Amino acid sequence: MPKKIIHEFKVEFLQILDEAGRVDRTLWPALDEKEVKGFYEAMLLIRTFDEKALNLQREGRLGTYASVQGQEAAQVGSATALRPSDWIFPAFREPGVSLLRGLPMRMIYQYWSGDERGSAIPEDQHDFPIAIPVGTHIPHAVGAAWAAQFKGDPVAVATFFGDGATSKGDFHEGLNFAGVFRLPIVFICQNNHWAISVPLSRQTASATLAQKAIAYGFEGIQVDGNDVFAVYTAVKNALEKARRGEGPTLIECFTYRLSDHTTADDASRYRKAEDVAAWRKKDPLVRLRALLEREYGWSEADEQTLRRQAQERVAAAVHEFEAVPPANPEAMFDTLFANLTPDLLRQKEQLRKRLQKKERD
Amino acid sequence: MSKLNLVQAINQALRHEMEKNPDVVLMGEDIGPDGGVFRVTEGLIDTFGARRVVDTPLSESGIVGVAIGMAAYGLRPVVEIQFMGFLYAAMEQLISHAARLRTRTRGRYTCPLVVRTPYGGGIHAPEHHSESTEAFFVHTPGLKVVVPSTPAEAKGLLLSAIRDPDPVIFLEPSKIYRAIKEEVPEGEYLIPLGEARVVAEGKDVTLIAWGAMLHPTLKAADQMAEKGIEAEVIDLRTLSPLDSATILRSVEKTGRAVIIHEAPRTCGLGAEIAARLCEEALLSLEAPITRVTGFDTPIPLPKTEKYYLPDVDQIVEAAEQVVGF
């Protein structure tokens, strides 16, 4: 019996806006000037929010924070493609997605300052709180997609995670379930090349992360994650496919973590400055600004106006965040279960007495 | 009313709740046409279809993780894990997510999820099939832990567990799955979570047990009665939240307590109960609180598991020592 090839697979790569800000018009997603400028505005807002977070942390006004610099295009492109009725399940490096979904900026600062109220997502928003344990939220997203399909709701689910998460069992179990049950979900991998100090080459021997989808029986695509139009196009197509009942998609956004893992990290211990410098040239904001300048006459004055507006918005959010009344420590008991158990009632009372005594002393 | 064993009673409870609430979905391995490894879900797929009785991939952590998302979205998933020893793969999902979803979002998201799993030894099962590590879950804030001890109890507690707005670990003592038959009320039958049951009243010593261990404990009480010792027997039913009030009331009366569990001794639930009695009933105590438990070893394979599991003689011996102290 001669050997034969029973399957062959290909992995697509999508780029619409290159590093020099040039656009492939054959792939252009039919966005008008206002929408293109809206993308830039959102990316600049995220960068400004992020820089402020790092400053607040240095000044002791915020706890440990995970910066998202370099990944703005991947966040804006995907968040813009989502509908408000869709559900999202973010990891911990998605403040940009959360902001665009409408989570008050104050709440993101609140969370990273160590206040649970930052995860009390507004009722009208279908956003899960961020997940700190890597990749463990992927099955939750799959379950929500399953429930949406079960109830016949016309929604899709998107979940975000990094390259490190693809090494975890949760990634495998989640994608496998989604493939088997053909669920309305989009897996958005932010391949930023680093899981703290461990490079992508130590996460996988695969040529791409996108190709992992093939083993689960659905499509995977790699996109230039610093090209907001490529991300937007891929995510939009995948969400529409999900809503049509045609199953899941894995999108690998090929991007780079420009900053340290968190404010508790020093990336100079494990990666070369020249590597980071090379990626700075691919900065998603720089290339989009180049496009704006060439196509829409974007001026230095426009840029300065936009920057000032972003800074004002961020300053207002910081003000709101710092004006929030202190958290009530007794609240730690109140929402553990729907009702306080006798033990929790007792413990809450103990804490209350201790607080009263402290106040008296 | 009909006489049912524990497997049939749980099956009836699942059927009842699925008829009542279209959002109840069962998921697990082999629970469809096969009816589950212990046949607990037998016939349910014929009535409710593969949409609501879902045979999943072999993926314990995935099943529980997916169920968390389903529950948060608004369904009422009831998960079956084939044996407690296979639930460990899902510990991160239970501890880091199911248990804290409500509190970390300050009530915005909830996780009304039931995880059913057979547990305990004495059925001559292969390695990893006889675990009794309920204390892991009792130790986890945000989880409720329920252990039925008879068929009727199983039905009443399971209905409450499925309707509970928070995650419940429902441990089914596999040793008594088919060992006992009793009248089980048809239709609605609810036993509230968090309330222990005084199975037998007595004034000399309190015996505290749950699950399969309740039965040797009751036999021990009978044997002691023949010698004129009146034992009060408490079936905890819900391990978390723990019904301290019922335990305290009893020990304040008897002055003596023996706690029986097949789980390993150290940091088993018996330790917590003993600590509470010391904190809150010290002046009522006439004798040291005693524990009859498994050893601090993994439960042995079937050839020697009987030397590990507490039996009637050990319970009688411990209770008599306490009474004669």
Side-chain angles (χ1 to χ4, degrees), chain A residues 23-44:
Chain A
V23 161
D24 183 338
R25 285 288 162 194
T26 62
L27 297 169
W28 183 248
L31 295 159
D32 62 23
E33 180 179 341
K34 191 164 166 257
E35 288 168 311
V36 173
K37 285 183 175 167
F39 280 3
Y40 187 63
E41 191 181 324
M43 283 160 61
L44 192 69

Side-chain angles (χ1 to χ4, degrees), chain B residues 207 220 223-224 227 229 258 290 292 311-324:
Chain B
L207 308 180
Q223 287 188 14
M224 286 152 61
K227 300 178 195 169
I229 302 170
V258 179
T290 299
V292 179
D311 62 16
V312 178
D313 289 349
Q314 287 174 63
I315 301 167
V316 170
E317 195 180 313
E320 286 181 350
Q321 269 179 15
V322 166
V323 171

Side-chain angles (χ1 to χ4, degrees), chain A residues 25 161 250:
Chain A
R25 285 288 162 194
F161 49 89
L250 170 62

Side-chain angles (χ1 to χ4, degrees), chain A residues 21 30 33 43 66 87 101 108 128 146 169 173 180 202 212 254 262 267 282 315 323 330 343:
Chain A
E33 180 179 341
M43 283 160 61
W87 283 56
R101 293 277 293 176
I108 306 178
F128 235 49
W146 191 337
E173 297 193 35
V180 168
R202 277 288 167 100
K212 289 177 182 256
F254 202 77
T262 66
K282 303 179 191 182
E330 290 175 41
D343 285 342

